[in-house]
Amino acid sequence: MIEARRLHILRAVADHRTVTAAAAALYLTPSAVSQQLTALEQETGHRLVERGAKGVRLTPAGEILLSHTNEVLAQLERAEAELAAYSAGSAGTVTVASFATGIGLVVAPALARLARTAPGIHVRVQDAEGDASLPMVLDRLVDIAVAVEYRGAPDADDPRLTPVALYAEPFDAVVPLGHRLADATEVPLAELAKDPWIGPYPGNPCHDVVVLACENAGFQPRLEHSSDDFRAVVALASADAGVALVPRSALRGMDLTGVLVRPVDGVAPTRRVFAAVRRGAEGHPLIRPVLDALAEAATVD
């Protein structure tokens, strides 16, 4: 008989690629993870992982078991959801991880809605970059992720997750007041090819949006200054340190006295924001109202 908790460990090792990282995500010791993997191999009668200099990878037998693991764990999530519904499930705590702008745009308004419609649900919010919240969901550190599409993100049909589309927003060009394109009503990105750029660090989903937009315009941006805080990005632009692309919602309420904000000429670079839960948990009576409140908040500009 295969124990479900060992399947959680197998998936964590597959996701994190090292025993040490999987152990940290699961709040276990590396030796405990190794022991559970050994026990799982004994239960199945197959070698499931191979250790190498670059970490751990699944064997073909391990890949077969992982495909079933995703289905089994999703079904367990559904079972928990139905049991919670059976016992009413009208009160409890749901944890949401979201990037800062998403907290302001949809998470905080969703909390206000839930205070009226589902007062028994207590939501705990954690600030996490747009690419960090999905691993937190998979590692069961949080219940819901508010994330941004990015290169390497799980596909919409990933068997581990259920996504819920929230909103899409364009990036606007931010240039210093004295910039040569200051009089333009729209900014062609190709005209900024020789400018110094200010933008998020690699790994931030917004970095991918900026670089891809510039590549589509025929150049690689010369990123001279890096910050994941868009207030810092705008401040640097106001000091004539360079140009930037910033999500429109991030500019709301910001001091823009030293810069000009212009829409991008043609197809604007866009970030798409979605919520995600572990597959099977979308029907949980505590999680479903939070997902609905996030979706409702996203429809209000």
Side-chain angles (χ1 to χ4, degrees):
M1 181 69 69
I2 298 174
E3 291 191 21
R5 64 191 178 97
R6 290 177 181 147
L7 296 180
H8 279 294
I9 290 173
L10 179 70
R11 188 160 81 177
V13 169
D15 287 342
H16 294 280
R17 300 297 182 185
T18 71
V19 168
T20 300
L26 297 171
Y27 294 97
L28 297 172
T29 64
S31 61
V33 169
S34 295
Q35 290 170 7
Q36 292 299 317
L37 286 175
T38 298
L40 185 59
E41 289 179 329
Q42 293 173 346
E43 288 173 346
T44 61
H46 292 278
R47 187 180 181 188
L48 302 175
V49 298
E50 292 180 345
R51 293 170 174 80
K54 295 184 178 180
V56 176
R57 68 180 184 87
L58 299 187
T59 65
E63 294 287 355
I64 291 172
L65 183 58
L66 179 64
S67 67
H68 290 285
T69 292
N70 291 326
E71 296 178 12
V72 169
L73 295 183
Q75 191 60 41
L76 286 174
E77 293 282 357
R78 294 187 188 99
E80 290 181 8
E82 290 186 18
L83 286 170
Y86 176 76
S87 52
S90 59
T93 299
V94 176
T95 307
V96 178
S98 172
F99 58 102
T101 308
I103 291 174
L105 202 61
V106 294
V107 177
L111 264 62
R113 283 174 168 76
L114 289 167
R116 299 189 303 268
T117 61
I121 298 178
H122 173 64
V123 179
R124 294 178 57 244
V125 180
Q126 297 184 23
D127 190 336
E129 289 297 340
D131 59 335
S133 56
L134 293 178
M136 293 171 72
V137 166
L138 291 173
D139 291 336
R140 304 180 70 85
L141 300 177
V142 299
D143 301 303
I144 300 174
V146 175
V148 179
E149 289 184 2
Y150 60 94
R151 295 180 186 182
D155 296 331
D157 59 353
D158 189 294
R160 302 169 298 172
L161 296 166
T162 296
V164 177
L166 294 179
Y167 65 92
E169 64 171 325
F171 281 57
D172 289 326
V174 177
V175 301
L177 282 177
H179 194 272
R180 64 186 180 281
L181 296 178
D183 294 332
T185 56
E186 295 183 337
V187 172
L189 283 186
E191 295 295 320
L192 302 177
K194 295 183 179 180
D195 285 84
W197 278 74
I198 313 156
Y201 285 101
N204 185 314
C206 290
H207 174 89
D208 290 345
V209 174
V210 171
V211 171
L212 184 59
C214 293
E215 289 175 351
N216 289 338
F219 69 97
Q220 284 282 341
R222 179 163 53 91
L223 284 163
E224 290 200 358
H225 310 283
S226 298
S227 176
D228 289 334
D229 186 335
F230 287 116
R231 291 170 298 180
V233 170
V234 170
L236 287 168
S238 70
D240 203 19
V243 300
L245 289 174
V246 177
R248 187 166 293 172
S249 65
L251 294 168
R252 295 178 183 174
M254 195 180 294
D255 181 6
L256 303 174
T257 54
V259 297
L260 294 171
V261 178
R262 297 289 185 265
V264 173
D265 184 33
V267 179
T270 301
R271 72 171 172 182
R272 291 173 174 79
V273 179
F274 63 98
V277 299
R278 292 181 295 277
R279 189 171 293 273
E282 61 274 9
H284 193 287
L286 294 178
I287 292 175
R288 184 73 255 169
V290 180
L291 289 175
D292 292 342
L294 290 169
E296 290 171 9
T299 63
V300 178
D301 187 7

